[in-house]
Amino acid sequence: MTTELTLLGWSLVLALFQVMLTARFRNRETGTTYNTGSRDEPGPPVGVITGRLRRAQANLFETLPLFAAAVLIAHVAGREGALTFWGAWLYLAARIAYVPAYALGVAYLRSAIWMVSMAGLVMILAAILRPA
C-alpha cells in the first residue's frame, strides 16, 4: 500500500478520534443519564471547548471527502509522486495540529494551520490535473 493511502487511513482514524473526543467532552456536560435517554429535550448548553471541538470536527468533515477522493484518484490514475506524498503528509499533519489549536482558541495560528492543510490538498490536485 502506498504512503498516500496509508495517510488516508490515518486521516480516517483522526476523524474517528475527533468524533469520540467531542462526544467525551459533551458527555461531561450532559451526563450519562441524558446521553442514555431518549434526548427528547435539549441538553444543557454546549460548553466553549465542546463547541470548538464540534466546529473543528465539522471543518475536517468538509475537507476529508475531497482529500480522500484526491488520494484515490491519484492512486488509480498512477499519478502518485513527490507532490502527492508531501501533499498527503501536509494535509494530515496540519489536520492533527488543527484540533488542539482550535480547542485552545489560538485564532491566527489555527487559520495558518488550516491553510497548510489546504496547500497539501492542492498539491495532490496539482499532481492529478497536471498534463501527463
Side-chain angles (χ1 to χ4, degrees):
M1 189 157 75
T2 65
T3 300
E4 293 86 342
L5 289 174
T6 301
L7 294 172
L8 174 55
W10 281 110
S11 296
L12 299 176
V13 171
L14 175 63
L16 182 60
F17 171 78
Q18 284 192 243
V19 168
M20 299 305 292
L21 182 64
T22 303
R24 182 173 172 87
F25 271 80
R26 185 62 179 150
N27 190 45
R28 288 181 182 173
E29 297 167 354
T30 60
T32 52
T33 303
Y34 175 79
N35 284 338
T36 58
S38 61
R39 300 186 201 179
D40 291 332
E41 301 297 321
V46 175
V48 172
I49 301 296
T50 304
R52 290 176 182 167
L53 290 172
R54 280 184 173 179
R55 291 188 297 277
Q57 177 185 321
N59 186 276
L60 174 66
F61 289 175
E62 290 173 357
T63 62
L64 186 56
L66 302 173
F67 176 69
V71 167
L72 292 172
I73 290 168
H75 181 72
V76 170
R79 301 305 292 262
E80 292 162 318
L83 276 175
T84 60
F85 178 86
W86 291 111
W89 270 113
L90 275 178
Y91 179 84
L92 178 58
R95 294 312 315 193
I96 291 169
Y98 189 81
V99 177
Y102 206 136
L104 296 172
V106 186
Y108 293 104
L109 179 60
R110 173 183 59 87
S111 296
I113 292 168
W114 180 85
M115 291 190 324
V116 169
S117 74
M118 290 300 96
L121 181 56
V122 168
M123 289 170 69
I124 299 168
L125 293 173
I128 292 168
L129 299 174
R130 74 171 189 255

